[in-house]
Amino acid sequence: MTTAARASRISPLIGTLVVATAYVLTAILGQVAGRAQHAAIPIWAPGGIAIAGLIILGTGAWPGVLVGSFIANLIIRGQPGAAALMSLGNAAAALFAAEMVLRFARGLDTFDRAQDVLRWTVYAAILASAISATAGAAARFGFGDWPTYLHGWLAWWISNVNGALVVAPPLLLWWRHPAVKWSLVRILEGLIFALSLLLVAAVVFGVPGSTTFDPTQPRAFLLFPIMAWAAFRLGARTSATMMLGIAALATWATIAHRGPFFTGDLPQSLALVQTFLATVAATTLVLTAAVHESHRAQRTAEQSEWRARFLTEASAKLSESLDIEKTLAAFAQLAVPRITDWCAIRLVQDDGSIRQIALATTNEAGHSRLDRFLAAVAPDKDWPQPYMEVIRTGKSLLIPEITDAMLRQATHTPAEFELARSLGMRSTITVPLVASSGIPGAMTLASCGPDRRYGPADLGLAEELGRRVGIAVENARLFARSQDAIRSREDFLAIASHELRTPVTSLRLQVQIVERALNEELAHARQSAELADGADGLERVIGLIGVLGDDSRRLVRLVGGLLDVTRIASGQLDLQPDDLDFREVVRGGIDSMRPELSARHVPLTFDAPEPIPGRWDRLRLEQIVANLLSNAIKYGEGKPVDIRAFAEGDQVVLTVEDQGQGIEPAFVDRMFERFERGTTGTQGLGLGLYITRQIVESHGGTIEVLNRPGAGVTFTVRLPRIFSQPVRGGKNA
C-alpha cells in the first residue's frame, strides 16, 4: 500500500489527536529531562514530530500541534497566556514548514535529492524554527531584557533546528518505507556497521571527560566516517535513524559529564552538542541524498539501456511475420515476464467488435483462470471495461494499486470477484495501440508480484510498445488487404484472359479460312479472262485480311501472356518435360516468328552446329525463343538478328543478339519485371521478358543480358540439360 493510501485511511480527527498526544508526551519528557539537569535540552523533539505529522497526515492536522503545544506548556509552566503564545508559534512554525516542504521540496520524497534536503534545511529547520523561537522566547522572557531574550531565542531556535534535522527525517523515511527487506549480504553489512558504530561510540563517548574542554582531542570527528559509510551503503532511512541514535547518545554522554563536548559547564556543553548535531545531521542528509541521486541516475541509465534493448527485441519480434495473430502471440510471450506477469492484446474487428488476439502469463497453471476471468468480464454496452475507454479515447490508463473495491466494480458476481482476487493482480497498465489510421486495439499489462508496481516510467515504456504494436497491426492489415486486392486482380485477369482466348482463337481461325478462300479465288480470277479485272481488288482485300491476321496473332499472344502471368502468380505454370533436341526446339520457336520476320524484313542467322539432346518442356522453350526474338525484332530497328544454340558441359546455352540501339540504362534493372516496357517501343503489355525469366527459372536456369548502348543487346539463357521433375510455378519477381 502506498504512503498516500495509508495516510488516507487515518481520519482527520484521529490524525489530530495523534499529533496532539505525541506533542504533549515528548514535550513533557523533554522539559522534565531539562529541568533535572538544569539546562535546556539540545533537541526539541516535539517540533520535529509536529512537522512530520503535518507532512504525513496533511496540513489539516495543524490543530493537533496547537492543542498539544498549549496543553504541554500549560502543564509545564501553568501560565495560560504564555502557553497560548507558545502554542501559536509552534503551530505556525509546523504549518509553515509542512506547506513549504510539500510545495517546494516534494514532501515525503524530500530526502531523495540534495537540493530538496537544502530546501528542507532552510524552510523546515532554519525559518520555521525562527518562528517558533520568536514566539517562545517572547512568551518566556519578554522583551525587557534584550540580551536575555536573544540568548533564550538562540537556544530555542537551535533546539528546534535539531528537532527538524534529527527527529523528523527518520519518522518520514520510516513512514514512507516501513518494510525492511534486506538480503543476507546486506544483513551482514548492517551487523558490521552496528559493531563499528558501537566501537566508535565507545571511543568518542566512553572516555570520561575532563573538567575542561580539550580542543586538541576532537574525538567527535570519528563519527563522520561511520555516517559516510551509512550514507553510501545503507541509505537515507538507516542514516537518519543512526543520526537520531547518535544524537541521543551525545546528549546522554554530555549530561553525564562524558565525551568530547563536556567542558565543565553543562549549558555550554549542550550548546556545543546542539551545534555539532545540527552540522552532522545536515551534512549526513545532504550526503545521503547525493548518493541516492547518483545511484538513481545509474539505475535510470541502466533501465534506459535495458528498455532500449527490449524495444529493439520487440521491434524485431513484431517484424518477423505479417501473420498478426502469430506475431502478437510471440510478442506477448516476449513481454512476459520481462515487463509484466500477464499480457493481453485486443483488436477492434471490421464489424466493430473487440476480440482478444493474444494472452500470455508467467503462471501457466493460472492461465485457464485468467482466461475465464477475462471472458467473464467481457464488456457490453451496460458494463464497459477500462480497455474499451482506452480504445475510445486513445488515452492510457495506469492503476498503480488495485484495490478490492476496484475488483468489485469490474466484476458482475461474487464468484467473478473471488476469481479476480485469486489472480493476485497488484497493478495494471492499459495502453492504446496507436496507428496512423486510428486506434486498432489496446494492450493490458498486469503485475501480480509483491515487488512490481507500475509507475510513470513503466507507462512510458508501455505506450512506446503500444505504438510499435499498433504499427505492426496496421502493416499486417494493409498487407492482407493488398493481398486480397492482388488475388482479386489475378482472378480477374485469369477469368478475362481465359474468356478472351476462345473467341480470339476462333477469330484467328476464321481469318485464316477467309484468307485461304480469297487466295483461291484470286488464283481462279487470274486464270479466267472474265475475272481478270477483279484480281486487283481481291489482292487489296487479301492485303487487308493479312493485316487482320497479324493483329489477331498479336492479340492471341497478348491474351496468352496475360494467362501465363496469372498462372505464374498462382503457382500453376505446369511444365511437361520430354526428351527433345534443343536445336530443333529453337528452330520451332524461330519458325513461329517467320511471319513477323518477313513483315519487318529482319535478316536472321541461326547457328546450331549439332544436335543437343536433353529433357525440357517443348512449348515453354519455344515460348522463350519467340519472346526473345520478338523483343529483338521490336527493338532491333530491322537490323540482323543472330541466334546461337550450343552445349556447354551439363548445360545448354541460347543467345539472341540484335544490332539495335541497345537498352536505356535506367530500364536495364527492371526490364524483367511485370508490365515494364522500354520507351523506344510502345506495343505489348511488357510481359514477354517477365514470362521468359519465370520459365527459365522454373527449368532451373538463368537468363542474363549484355547491353551495348548504340550497338545492340545480347540475351543469354543457360538451362540444365536434364530437367526430370515438373516444377509448379516460377519465382515471382
Side-chain angles (χ1 to χ4, degrees):
M1 184 181 299
T2 63
T3 54
R6 284 186 285 119
S8 64
R9 298 180 63 178
I10 302 175
S11 68
L13 178 60
I14 296 298
T16 301
L17 291 176
V18 168
V19 171
T21 302
Y23 199 101
V24 170
L25 293 178
T26 53
I28 292 175
L29 289 176
Q31 287 294 336
V32 170
R35 286 183 176 180
Q37 301 299 327
H38 305 286
I41 59 173
I43 302 173
W44 183 241
I49 292 174
I51 296 172
L54 296 190
I55 292 175
I56 292 172
L57 301 173
T59 54
W62 68 267
V65 181
L66 182 68
V67 173
S69 178
F70 178 78
I71 294 174
N73 283 289
L74 185 62
I75 293 173
I76 294 169
R77 294 185 172 81
Q79 299 175 358
L85 182 57
M86 290 180 183
S87 63
L88 287 173
N90 291 333
L95 184 60
F96 171 82
E99 285 286 355
M100 293 296 102
V101 170
L102 290 171
R103 287 191 182 187
F104 304 111
R106 301 194 310 160
L108 287 169
D109 298 327
T110 293
F111 305 103
D112 290 343
R113 298 195 310 176
Q115 60 183 0
D116 288 330
V117 172
L118 292 176
R119 292 190 181 103
W120 171 276
T121 303
V122 173
Y123 295 133
I126 297 175
L127 297 181
S129 298
I131 296 173
S132 176
T134 300
R140 184 172 181 183
F141 305 110
F143 297 101
D145 187 352
W146 189 248
T148 302
Y149 173 82
L150 289 179
H151 183 271
W153 184 94
L154 183 60
W156 201 298
W157 175 76
I158 197 169
S159 180
N160 277 273
V161 166
N162 280 320
L165 293 176
V166 176
V167 177
L171 294 177
L172 293 173
L173 290 167
W174 277 99
W175 174 265
R176 191 179 68 161
H177 298 297
V180 178
K181 297 179 181 179
W182 280 9
S183 64
L184 179 60
V185 174
R186 183 55 62 90
I187 291 174
L188 292 176
E189 184 178 10
L191 291 175
I192 295 173
F193 172 79
L195 292 175
S196 301
L197 180 62
L198 290 176
L199 178 61
V200 172
V203 172
V204 174
F205 302 111
V207 179
S210 62
T211 56
T212 59
F213 178 65
D214 185 1
T216 64
Q217 297 182 3
R219 298 191 302 269
F221 290 100
L222 294 175
L223 293 170
F224 278 91
I226 295 295
M227 297 309 300
W229 179 4
F232 275 94
R233 296 292 304 165
L234 303 180
R237 183 178 60 182
T238 302
S239 298
T241 304
M242 291 300 100
M243 189 63 235
L244 181 61
I246 290 174
L249 184 60
T251 303
W252 168 81
T254 303
I255 292 175
H257 297 185
R258 300 166 66 88
F261 301 109
F262 183 69
T263 64
D265 183 348
L266 185 57
Q268 183 185 33
S269 300
L270 290 176
L272 290 174
V273 171
Q274 286 179 318
T275 305
F276 173 78
L277 293 179
T279 303
V280 174
T283 303
T284 301
L285 290 174
V286 171
L287 179 61
T288 305
V291 171
H292 180 82
E293 282 189 282
S294 175
H295 290 168
R296 183 176 58 202
Q298 182 179 359
R299 289 194 302 270
T300 300
E302 292 173 352
Q303 290 173 357
S304 297
E305 182 180 356
W306 180 87
R307 285 172 177 162
R309 289 198 305 269
F310 180 77
L311 287 173
T312 301
E313 292 181 42
S315 297
K317 187 68 67 175
L318 291 170
S319 61
E320 283 181 356
S321 170
L322 288 169
D323 182 337
I324 193 60
E325 295 196 17
K326 177 182 177 181
T327 298
L328 294 185
F331 168 79
Q333 291 293 341
L334 178 68
V336 174
R338 299 176 68 178
I339 63 171
T340 184
D341 293 314
W342 63 261
C343 172
I345 301 176
R346 302 172 176 90
L347 297 182
V348 180
Q349 304 301 299
D350 292 336
D351 60 359
S353 62
I354 300 175
R355 186 166 74 91
Q356 182 173 290
I357 300 296
L359 177 64
T361 177
T362 55
N363 184 5
E364 290 300 326
H367 192 284
S368 59
R369 286 188 291 118
L370 176 60
D371 212 14
R372 290 202 317 273
F373 167 72
L374 294 176
V377 298
D380 53 51
K381 63 181 181 179
D382 299 322
W383 200 279
Q385 290 298 313
Y387 65 82
M388 292 192 68
E389 187 69 11
V390 169
I391 294 175
R392 186 183 67 82
T393 63
K395 296 181 179 179
S396 303
L397 176 63
L398 167 64
I399 303 178
E401 189 81 23
I402 295 179
T403 63
D404 286 349
M406 294 178 183
L407 294 179
R408 287 192 179 91
Q409 186 178 4
T411 53
H412 299 71
T413 64
E416 291 177 6
F417 170 71
E418 293 301 326
L419 178 61
R421 287 193 67 187
S422 69
L423 297 174
M425 291 181 292
R426 309 282 182 148
S427 182
T428 63
I429 295 176
T430 302
V431 297
L433 308 182
V434 181
S436 60
S437 58
I439 307 296
M443 176 176 66
T444 299
L445 308 177
S447 69
C448 301
D451 297 329
R452 176 180 279 170
R453 293 292 186 277
Y454 290 134
D458 302 295
L459 178 61
L461 175 62
E463 288 178 335
E464 179 59 31
L465 289 173
R467 284 188 285 271
R468 301 190 183 203
V469 174
I471 292 173
V473 171
E474 184 176 46
N475 290 340
R477 288 181 170 177
L478 288 175
F479 176 76
R481 289 168 188 161
S482 67
Q483 291 299 103
D484 290 341
I486 291 173
R487 281 191 294 269
S488 298
R489 185 194 67 185
E490 302 295 352
D491 291 344
F492 170 76
L493 289 175
I495 295 172
S497 57
H498 185 272
E499 293 299 322
L500 286 171
R501 193 180 186 91
T502 301
V504 168
T505 303
S506 176
L507 174 62
R508 185 181 179 188
L509 291 174
Q510 295 298 323
V511 169
Q512 291 174 348
I513 293 172
V514 171
E515 186 177 16
R516 189 179 303 113
L518 289 174
N519 283 324
E520 292 175 356
E521 188 69 24
L522 177 61
H524 178 67
R526 286 175 175 170
Q527 294 174 0
S528 172
E530 297 177 357
L531 300 176
D533 293 339
D536 293 340
L538 284 175
E539 288 182 352
R540 287 195 298 272
V541 173
I542 290 173
L544 294 174
I545 292 298
V547 174
L548 182 60
D550 292 341
D551 290 341
S552 65
R553 283 193 298 272
R554 186 177 300 110
L555 186 57
V556 168
R557 190 177 298 116
L558 293 177
V559 172
L562 286 175
L563 187 57
D564 283 340
V565 169
T566 58
R567 287 171 177 168
I568 292 169
S570 60
Q572 297 177 355
L573 183 64
D574 292 331
L575 301 179
Q576 303 298 329
D578 199 1
D579 294 329
L580 305 170
D581 181 354
F582 188 68
R583 180 176 62 176
E584 296 304 318
V585 173
V586 174
R587 182 174 285 117
I590 294 173
D591 291 342
S592 69
M593 298 298 295
R594 290 294 180 186
E596 289 195 31
L597 289 168
S598 299
R600 299 287 187 93
H601 307 288
V602 177
L604 174 70
T605 59
F606 175 46
D607 180 18
E610 58 185 14
I612 310 173
R615 188 176 179 82
W616 307 277
D617 184 310
R618 174 186 292 274
L619 293 178
R620 293 304 179 184
L621 259 61
E622 288 183 352
Q623 191 175 1
I624 291 173
V625 176
N627 286 344
L628 293 178
L629 186 51
S630 174
N631 189 79
I633 294 171
K634 186 184 302 182
Y635 299 107
E637 300 179 344
K639 296 179 181 179
V641 176
D642 298 321
I643 298 179
R644 296 180 63 222
F646 56 91
E648 190 178 79
D650 59 353
Q651 291 184 327
V652 293
V653 180
L654 169 69
T655 64
V656 179
E657 179 180 352
D658 66 63
Q659 300 177 23
Q661 292 300 313
I663 304 172
E664 296 180 9
F667 180 65
V668 173
D669 293 336
R670 64 178 194 275
M671 61 187 303
F672 290 106
E673 304 298 327
R674 286 184 291 183
F675 308 110
E676 290 289 348
R677 299 185 300 172
T679 57
T680 58
T682 57
Q683 294 182 345
L685 297 175
L687 295 174
L689 292 179
Y690 167 74
I691 294 172
T692 299
R693 188 183 72 168
Q694 298 301 312
I695 296 174
V696 169
E697 292 180 349
S698 295
H699 278 83
T702 61
I703 182 170
E704 300 174 353
V705 59
L706 174 61
N707 181 36
R708 303 183 304 277
V713 177
T714 301
F715 287 93
T716 302
V717 175
R718 299 179 186 275
L719 299 174
R721 295 187 67 164
I722 303 299
F723 178 71
S724 57
Q725 297 295 330
V727 177
R728 297 183 63 84
K731 299 177 184 177
N732 240 345

